Amino acid sequence: MQLDCAGKLLDLTRPQVMGVLNVTPDSFSDGGRFIAPAAAVAQAQAMCDAGAALIDIGGESTRPGAQPVSEADELARVIPVVEALAPRLPVPISVDTSKPAVMAAAVAAGAGMINDVAALTAPGALQVARDSGVPVCLMHMQGEPRSMQRAPRYGDVVAEVHDYLTQRVSACEAAGIARERLLVDPGFGFGKQLAHNLALLARLDRFHALGLPLLVGLSRKRMFGDLLGLAVDERLVPSVVAAVLAVQRGARIVRAHDVAETVSALKLVTAVRDAGME
Ligand code: 9MG
């Protein structure tokens, strides 16, 4: 299976890595490092060289407790970087945003995918995404980044996240977005406590029932701090292991900061899978 990301193809017959490029002053693990377009271009190029199959550019931090950013500020951070990268990179660019104006401007500047942690719930987002023609990742979040970790509660987290994603897929289809353009993501760490994140990872295979490619973001997340007592810069090993566990349960795209290490691990998973099919 291949996704057409504004003319650049993304092969989903094997698991792929989405490299994280935050052009924000305050993201939890790399805030402020890649705001200047030249630094962002160099980092994106390095992630491609390390095997990233797409690059996710975000101008508003979604870490727990993050303050919202104005539309003008987000546009000013993201669009110059997309414009600089789109003609240079061999892989698609995805834009990590929940704002319709940023989605539209980023796709006009050459982005080939929309990654929305709010699953196109902002007013006008469904229409902009439909008209953009590019694939869209719909993520589950309980609450909003500023407050989502205060007291997230679920009866059955797997069933509730599954039901939410089912409803958002239906809303997209009703708005005229073809199912073939959609990906889904359970949203690790977005309004979830450690037990919720572990249950979602353990039962990720449940999301196959949606019949859509599954994207996950586990890289350096707080769940590893909660479980293992590790600081952000000590979370490489659990991030890579979690990526492997997710792929073994059917994830097709893994969003990661440490691209080279994640690509190596997923190559091994794929090689073992292929050897078992011979
Ligand atoms: C932007 N962003 C941060 N974490 C993420 C995750 O887990 N999934 C997706 N789709 N986007 C994320």
Side-chain angles (χ1 to χ4, degrees):
M1 183 211 178
Q2 287 194 323
L3 270 186
D4 184 348
C5 301
K8 293 181 183 171
L9 296 182
L10 179 60
D11 175 16
L12 293 183
T13 58
R14 61 192 173 86
Q16 300 286 10
V17 174
M18 167 192 255
V20 178
L21 186 61
N22 288 319
V23 287
T24 57
D26 59 342
S27 282
F28 75 106
S29 84
D30 52 4
R33 288 182 59 204
F34 307 116
I35 291 186
V41 168
Q43 173 65 3
Q45 193 61 62
M47 290 194 287
C48 286
D49 294 347
L54 74 163
I55 303 293
D56 191 39
I57 302 178
E60 177 174 30
S61 174
T62 52
R63 73 180 161 77
Q67 294 300 313
V69 169
S70 73
E71 182 179 292
D73 284 351
E74 196 177 329
L75 285 166
R77 290 176 187 174
V78 170
I79 302 309
V81 177
V82 176
E83 283 171 347
L85 283 175
R88 288 184 170 88
L89 289 188
V91 303
I93 293 170
S94 118
V95 61
D96 152 23
T97 188
S98 299
K99 295 189 181 71
V102 180
M103 295 172 190
V107 173
M113 185 186 290
I114 295 168
N115 173 29
D116 185 1
V117 299
L120 303 183
T121 51
L126 284 166
Q127 292 69 29
V128 167
R130 177 195 61 209
D131 296 345
S132 74
V134 301
V136 181
C137 178
L138 305 169
M139 200 199 77
H140 174 273
M141 168 166 53
Q142 187 180 94
E144 42 154 20
R146 198 169 19 169
S147 56
M148 65 189 177
Q149 288 308 108
R150 272 186 210 145
R153 280 189 204 292
Y154 299 86
D156 176 340
V157 65
V158 178
E160 287 171 41
V161 172
H162 185 279
D163 288 354
Y164 174 84
L165 291 173
T166 304
Q167 284 165 22
R168 293 313 300 159
V169 169
S170 298
C172 286
E173 291 188 297
I177 304 176
R179 214 181 157 79
E180 292 67 35
R181 281 173 53 200
L182 299 176
L183 303 95
V184 288
D185 181 338
F188 287 98
F190 283 81
K192 283 136 193 135
Q193 295 176 359
L194 175 60
H196 303 138
N197 290 315
L198 293 175
L200 285 168
L201 185 51
R203 302 298 315 280
L204 207 57
D205 56 331
R206 275 280 312 273
F207 293 90
H208 294 324
L210 290 165
L212 296 172
L214 190 57
L215 189 155
V216 295
L218 289 145
S219 181
R220 302 183 187 172
K221 288 213 169 159
R222 183 184 288 189
M223 60 187 280
F224 306 123
D226 294 342
L227 183 68
L228 305 166
L230 299 174
V232 172
D233 61 356
E234 298 172 333
R235 297 178 188 166
L236 172 63
V237 171
S239 298
V240 173
V241 173
V244 169
L245 292 170
V247 163
Q248 286 179 328
R249 288 159 174 75
R252 285 280 118 187
I253 302 179
V254 175
R255 188 176 181 277
H257 299 83
D258 302 292
V259 171
E261 294 85 347
T262 312
V263 167
S264 295
L266 299 194
K267 275 188 184 162
L268 174 58
V269 174
T270 306
V272 172
R273 182 198 67 182
D274 292 351
M277 291 196 296
E278 278 167 8

